Amino acid sequence: AQKITQTQPGMFVQEKEAVTLDCTYDTSDPSYGLFWYKQPSSGEMIFLIYQGSYDQQNATEGRYSLNFQKARKSANLVISASQLGDSAMYFCAMREYSNYQLIWGAGTKLIIKP
Amino acid sequence: SAVISQKPSRDICQRGTSLTIQCQVDSQVTMMFWYRQQPGQSLTLIATANQGSEATYESGFVIDKFPISRPNLTFSTLTVSNMSPEDSSIYLCSVRDRGTQDEQFFGPGTRLTVL
């Protein structure tokens, strides 16, 4: 069964609008971490934001915030005031604390239109 | 956060040859990982590089094809041996930083094309 699901293969968004990228996960481990990465066409994998399963507050990093809904097993990435440079692939990932591996979603290709 | 560099950044190689990719980290880290990303796909873990011992390979990856060295806590190499076009991928080095948050950072990647 899929442990990380990103249901949006691609998205087009107008510049300056907010964007929500969906991510749902499945785990029975009570302790886990959730990650979002950005991969531009250059290929590098850029860490954006991290949310621990016991964190009470939603994580924020500049224009990025993570909408963590634990009961729904949802960890959506919100990008405020999108910019042309936000066009990239975005990957959601999870690490269960019983396992050292990152489990990856299939990714969402985001294109920001001018 | 850890700063990771990889060499080469890209290469075009002939079938049957081997390529060694280097990964350098600016701080000592316990866990280093090597990933492969085939075109249009997500990341797949090849192996965990352990300092002072053999690497731990994931299912579907073997040491003869992907030998790994980890001579110290800041450096590792991955060799892609006897290459075929199916090995054309981005290869990424990654480290786990168990500081204030359990983050994981990636190098810039090596884009490999095998003809």
Side-chain angles (χ1 to χ4, degrees), chain A residues 32-66:
Chain A
Y32 53 90
L34 297 157
F35 303 75
W36 276 94
Y37 290 88
K38 172 184 178 181
Q39 188 178 41
S41 56
S42 60
E44 64 180 311
M45 194 67 75
I46 302 168
F47 168 77
L48 294 179
I49 199 165
Y50 168 85
Q51 179 87 41
S53 59
Y54 294 117
D55 293 342
Q56 297 294 319
Q57 309 262 2
N58 284 345
T60 60
E61 288 287 347
R63 293 188 299 115
Y64 304 107
S65 60
L66 199 151

Side-chain angles (χ1 to χ4, degrees), chain A residues 43-103:
Chain A
E44 64 180 311
M45 194 67 75
I46 302 168
F47 168 77
L48 294 179
I49 199 165
Y50 168 85
Q51 179 87 41
S53 59
Y54 294 117
D55 293 342
Q56 297 294 319
Q57 309 262 2
N58 284 345
T60 60
E61 288 287 347
R63 293 188 299 115
Y64 304 107
S65 60
L66 199 151
N67 184 1
F68 182 44
Q69 298 189 40
K70 194 169 182 177
R72 299 175 66 180
K73 294 188 175 178
S74 162
N76 297 340
L77 177 71
V78 180
I79 306 173
S80 63
S82 59
Q83 302 170 357
L84 296 178
D86 294 331
S87 295
M89 283 291 290
Y90 288 80
F91 290 95
C92 179
M94 174 179 69
R95 176 161 51 233
E96 297 161 319
Y97 275 56
S98 57
N99 189 346
Y100 60 87
Q101 282 202 40
L102 276 180
I103 303 163

